[in-house]
Amino acid sequence: MSGRMAGKRVIVIGAGSVGEGWGNGKAAAVLYAREGAQVLCVDRSLSAAAETAALITTEGGTAHTFAGEMTDPLAATAMAGAAKSRMGGLDVMHFNIGTSVKGGLEETGFNDWNKVFSVNLDAAFHATKACVPLMGQGGALVYISSLAGLNNGPYRYIGYEASKAALQRFARSVAVEYAPRGIRANTVVPGMIDTPHVAAMIAPGQDMETVRSARAAQVPLKRQGTAWDIAEAALFLASDAAGFITGVDLRVDGGMGTLMGTSA
Ligand SMILES: NC(=O)c1ccc[n+]([C@@H]2O[C@H](COP(=O)([O-])OP(=O)(O)OC[C@H]3O[C@@H](n4cnc5c(N)ncnc54)[C@H](O)[C@@H]3O)[C@@H](O)[C@H]2O)c1
C-alpha cells in the first residue's frame, strides 16, 4: 500500500466516537489507514472500536480492535501485547482520549479532579510506558491536548485545563528522553472542534446549532475545526515528513490561541 504511512503500524487510543459522526480519534484512525498504515483501534467500547475498524476495512485498509479501559495500567500492557501479536510491533502511538468535568476550583471535588487526571494524564503515562519498548528508530508518539491547556477559555474546567497542560509538558519530557532512540513525541492542540464529543461532554442538552454558531464566532477563521483538521495535523506529526520535529505543541485552532495571546 502506498501513502504517507505505508508500512507503519499505528495504535489509536480512543479510536471510536461517543456519538454519531466524526470524532477526532475516529477520523485519525481512518486517515492513518487511508495513508497506508495498519491500525489497532483501541477503545473502552468494543463496538465503537469495531465501527471504526469496519470503516477502515470497507475502504480496503487493515484494522484490528482492542477493547480496554485505558486508565488501567494492565489494559495498557495488554494493548501493547496486542500490537505485537496482531501487527508485529509498533511505529506510532496516537493518544486521543480525554475527558472533562465542568467547574472551577470551588465546584470541583477531588473525585472529579482525579477522574479527569486519570484519563487525560495517567492513561497517557501508562500507554507511553507500555508502547515505547515496542518502538524503534522512526517511532512517533502523538498526544491530543486542548487549547484549554494553554489558555483560559469561555468555559471553566480547572481539572481539564491543568491536566492538558501537564500532558503537553509530559510529551516534551518524553520527547527529550527518547530522542536518542529516534522516537519523537509531539502534541496536537485543538481549539474549537465540531465533534460529537462537544454535544456529549462540553454542551450536553444544549441546542447544538446555537452552540455551533457561538463557538464558530469566537474563532478568528470564523469556523470551528473538524475532526479531519486534527487528524491531518496528527498524521503530519506521526509521519516521516516530520522526522526532525519533536517536543512540539502544534495548535490547530483557527488562530484562537493567537487571539488569546498564548505564547506557545
Ligand atoms: N471537540 C473539541 O472541541 C476538542 C477540543 C480540544 C480538545 N479535544 C480533545 O479531543 C479528544 C477527544 O476527541 P474525540 O472527538 O475522538 O472524542 P470522543 O469523546 O468521541 O472519544 C473517542 C473515544 O474514546 C473512548 N474513550 C474515552 N475514554 C476512554 C478510556 N478511558 N479508555 C478507553 N477508551 C476511552 C470513547 O469510548 C470514544 O469512543 C480529547 O482528548 C479532547 O480533550 C476536543
Side-chain angles (χ1 to χ4, degrees), residues 112-208:
D112 284 340
W113 174 267
N114 277 332
K115 182 181 139 194
V116 170
F117 267 77
S118 78
V119 176
N120 296 2
L121 188 63
D122 299 352
F125 172 82
H126 301 317
T128 306
K129 231 171 151 54
C131 286
V132 285
L134 294 182
M135 301 171 91
Q137 190 74 30
L141 303 152
V142 179
Y143 302 89
I144 305 303
S145 181
S146 169
L147 195 55
L150 296 173
N151 289 107
N152 286 82
Y155 318 106
R156 198 169 289 157
Y157 288 96
I158 195 167
Y160 186 68
E161 293 155 0
S163 60
K164 289 295 193 180
L167 178 67
Q168 288 170 225
R169 188 63 192 85
F170 169 77
R172 289 201 293 273
S173 292
V174 171
V176 170
E177 184 174 345
Y178 285 90
R181 281 176 45 182
I183 299 170
R184 299 178 297 104
N186 293 293
T187 305
V188 176
V189 185
M192 298 281 193
I193 312 299
D194 189 6
T195 63
H197 178 94
V198 175
M201 291 188 192
I202 300 174
Q206 295 181 37
D207 172 53
M208 281 317 292

Side-chain angles (χ1 to χ4, degrees), residues 13-19 22-26 42-45 48 68-71 95-99 119-120 123 144-147 160 164 190-198 201-202 215 224:
I13 299 171
S17 175
V18 287
W22 290 100
N24 293 330
K26 191 181 195 175
V42 176
D43 208 289
R44 58 156 66 119
S45 156
E69 169 49 62
M70 299 314 296
T71 54
F95 183 85
N96 171 67
I97 59 173
T99 194
V119 176
N120 296 2
I144 305 303
S145 181
S146 169
L147 195 55
Y160 186 68
K164 289 295 193 180
M192 298 281 193
I193 312 299
D194 189 6
T195 63
H197 178 94
V198 175
M201 291 188 192
I202 300 174
R215 283 166 66 90
Q224 287 192 82

Side-chain angles (χ1 to χ4, degrees), residues 23-72:
N24 293 330
K26 191 181 195 175
V30 168
L31 189 60
Y32 286 131
R34 282 180 185 166
E35 292 294 332
Q38 57 173 311
V39 181
L40 179 65
C41 298
V42 176
D43 208 289
R44 58 156 66 119
S45 156
L46 179 58
S47 59
E51 191 186 323
T52 302
L55 287 168
I56 291 172
T57 51
T58 302
E59 291 186 359
T62 306
H64 316 275
T65 57
F66 178 86
E69 169 49 62
M70 299 314 296
T71 54
D72 175 0

Side-chain angles (χ1 to χ4, degrees), residues 182-260:
I183 299 170
R184 299 178 297 104
N186 293 293
T187 305
V188 176
V189 185
M192 298 281 193
I193 312 299
D194 189 6
T195 63
H197 178 94
V198 175
M201 291 188 192
I202 300 174
Q206 295 181 37
D207 172 53
M208 281 317 292
E209 279 320 309
T210 310
V211 170
R212 276 196 183 99
S213 36
R215 283 166 66 90
Q218 296 169 54
V219 182
L221 281 177
K222 293 299 163 209
R223 71 165 176 91
Q224 287 192 82
T226 70
W228 299 103
D229 291 317
I230 303 309
E232 286 287 354
L235 172 73
F236 167 66
L237 290 173
S239 75
D240 294 340
F244 200 52
I245 299 176
T246 195
V248 154
D249 301 325
L250 176 55
R251 280 193 287 113
V252 183
D253 64 356
M256 197 161 167
T258 304
L259 181 71
M260 294 165 101

